[in-house]
């Protein structure tokens, strides 16, 4: 993944050239990870680019900041316009969008004191997170020796910069052992999530996923997958999952904005089900891509078109 040639970045209210979008090295967020971010995708549709579940992502952005005691000083309307203006300025058809807000330069010391709140948004082309082959054939996952931090240690439902150190340890360790992604257990040995994805398992035609109690980020793609699968006629249940649920599953997949819907074909060298993308995963994945690409009217309300003339 590189940043392509995206020319513009939105910073504190205006578009600035990519190379000029800098912040000072004394920023609190750099030293302590005191920031929050989002990952959003914009997809190509027959009516031009459309951002997937933009308002839900921005709502989570505000909610994550609130957990850490700061207020993002722009309204939902302003950030919505910022995202669509930025995509248009960069002339992108499909892209990944990364809003970030953090404690800026003012003072150091763990308490952020009166550090100013900075906000920036990037947008650039980002293909399949776990490879296009991964989307089709599935990926190889390992159980991480690193545990997902418990929600009593840091709020797992917030998407905060410093929290990702836990994911970084897990993904580096998994890559070093030749796997595509890490799966983290929670402190009670239940399945939590991937370094950047939520988990689903399928057994006897029923789809299962875990929930906030299992120390996960409440993924917006997770929510979309649940809704889409139900609309396609599948039963979906949320409950805590054990390692045995995954080992014995017929199929499994990860969800995330970056990862989209990625099948899991192997866990620590053991095939999951047939060891390839299973039929339920393929059906949910294909319905998901129809929804994000504007080909399914049932989910039209999830798309924010850059072309304002296209009714949602
Ligand atoms: N759990 C974690 C830990 C996570 O980081 C993500 C998204 C999810 C679940 C799924 O959330 P959602 O995107 O709302 O469905 N991870 C983002 C960052 C990935 C990155 O490498 O950076 C993403 O997918 O954009």
């Amino acid at each position: 993944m590189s940043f392509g040639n995206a020319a513009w970045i939105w910073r504190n209210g205006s578009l600035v050239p990519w190379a000029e979008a800098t912040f000072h090295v004394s920023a609190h967020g750099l030293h302590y990870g005191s920031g929050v971010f989002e990952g959003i995708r914009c997809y190509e549709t027959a009516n031009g680019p459309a951002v997937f579940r933009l308002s839900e992502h921005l709502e989570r952005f505000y909610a994550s900041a609130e957990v850490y005691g700061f207020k993002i000083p722009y309204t939902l309307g302003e950030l919505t316009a910022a995202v669509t203006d930025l995509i248009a300025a960069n002339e992108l058809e499909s892209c990944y969008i990364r809003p970030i807000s953090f404690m800026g330069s003012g003072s150091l010391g763990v308490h952020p004191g009166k550090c100013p709140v900075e906000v920036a948004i990037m947008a650039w082309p980002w293909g399949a997170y776990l490879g296009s082959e991964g989307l089709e054939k599935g990926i190889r996952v390992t159980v991480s020796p690193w545990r997902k931090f418990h929600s009593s240690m840091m709020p797992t439902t917030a998407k905060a910069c410093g929290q990702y150190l836990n994911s970084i340890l897990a993904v580096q360790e998994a890559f070093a052992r030749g796997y595509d992604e890490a799966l983290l257990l929670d402190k009670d040995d239940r399945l939590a999530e991937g370094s950047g994805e939520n988990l689903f398992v399928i057994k006897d035609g029923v789809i299962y996923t875990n929930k906030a109690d299992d120390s996960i980020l409440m993924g917006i793609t997770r929510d979309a997958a649940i809704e889409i699968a139900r609309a396609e006629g599948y039963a979906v249940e949320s409950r805590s999952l054990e390692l045995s649920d995954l080992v014995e599953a017929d199929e499994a997949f990860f969800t995330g904005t970056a990862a989209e819907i990625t099948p899991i074909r192997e866990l620590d060298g053991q095939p999951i089900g047939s060891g390839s993308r299973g039929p339920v995963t393929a059906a949910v994945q294909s319905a998901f891509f129809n929804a994000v690409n504007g080909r399914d009217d049932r989910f039209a309300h999830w798309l924010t078109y850059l072309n304002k003339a296209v009714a949602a």
Side-chain angles (χ1 to χ4, degrees):
M1 193 275 300
S2 76
F3 296 117
N5 46 12
W8 298 96
I9 285 184
W10 186 94
R11 185 183 59 186
N12 292 332
S14 54
L15 294 178
V16 295
W18 181 279
E20 288 170 28
T22 55
F23 289 96
H24 199 264
V25 73
S26 61
H28 196 272
L30 179 63
H31 294 256
Y32 307 109
S34 52
V36 300
F37 68 98
E38 270 305 317
I40 311 171
R41 272 190 192 269
C42 170
Y43 288 93
E44 225 173 307
T45 77
N47 293 308
V51 185
F52 186 62
R53 306 198 73 174
L54 177 56
S55 56
E56 289 91 333
H57 279 283
L58 292 177
E59 294 290 1
R60 188 172 66 187
F61 192 42
Y62 292 114
S64 299
E66 198 178 328
V67 164
Y68 284 94
F70 66 97
K71 194 169 178 310
I72 294 169
Y74 297 94
T75 64
L76 184 66
E78 286 167 335
L79 291 188
T80 300
V83 167
T84 52
D85 289 352
L86 177 66
I87 298 166
N90 281 320
E91 297 175 10
L92 294 161
E93 279 295 323
S94 63
C95 62
Y96 185 85
I97 303 143
R98 169 59 54 84
I100 182 165
S101 179
F102 60 95
M103 306 289 193
S105 172
S107 59
L108 287 175
V110 175
H111 193 287
K114 290 191 173 30
C115 290
V117 176
E118 307 280 9
V119 188
I121 309 174
M122 303 161 64
W124 72 94
W126 195 351
Y129 187 60
L130 297 159
S132 44
E133 199 184 303
L135 280 181
E136 204 186 304
K137 300 211 167 93
I139 57 161
R140 298 172 54 251
V141 169
T142 184
V143 175
S144 180
W146 295 103
R147 296 299 169 116
K148 173 79 194 194
F149 54 83
H150 186 254
S151 50
S152 63
M153 303 167 187
M154 275 196 259
T156 55
T157 51
K159 197 166 172 64
C161 301
Q163 299 188 185
Y164 275 82
L165 289 170
N166 181 228
S167 286
I168 290 169
L169 287 172
V171 76
Q172 288 186 145
E173 197 280 334
F175 278 26
R177 287 192 290 112
Y179 288 92
D180 302 318
E181 181 55 298
L183 173 66
L184 288 81
L185 303 181
D186 74 6
K187 72 168 181 41
D188 301 317
D189 289 339
R190 291 180 304 216
L191 301 179
E193 58 186 351
S195 75
E197 307 87 4
N198 292 119
L199 177 71
F200 285 73
V201 301
I202 297 148
K203 185 70 181 173
D204 298 330
V206 180
I207 303 175
Y208 300 91
T209 192
N210 53 10
K211 49 190 188 304
D213 301 352
D214 303 300
S215 299
I216 64 167
L217 179 73
M218 295 300 277
I220 291 164
T221 321
R222 169 189 178 279
D223 180 76
I226 293 172
E227 230 183 280
I228 288 168
R230 287 191 176 137
E232 292 293 303
Y234 293 103
V236 185
E237 288 177 29
S238 284
R239 64 161 169 84
S240 291
L241 298 167
E242 310 284 330
L243 199 48
S244 58
D245 288 309
L246 179 56
V247 171
E248 292 160 17
D250 299 325
E251 302 177 33
F253 60 85
F254 272 143
T255 63
T257 298
E260 299 168 306
I261 293 186
T262 299
I264 300 173
R265 68 177 156 92
E266 188 188 302
L267 182 73
D268 284 313
Q270 299 299 310
I272 305 281
S274 66
S276 59
R277 175 173 64 186
V280 177
T281 304
V284 176
Q285 196 187 42
S286 137
F288 171 80
F289 282 114
N290 283 336
V292 300
N293 291 116
R295 295 189 297 260
D296 189 334
D297 289 343
R298 294 174 299 178
F299 306 110
H301 57 286
W302 282 345
L303 298 176
T304 301
Y305 286 91
L306 261 64
N307 178 355
K308 303 286 185 296
V310 185

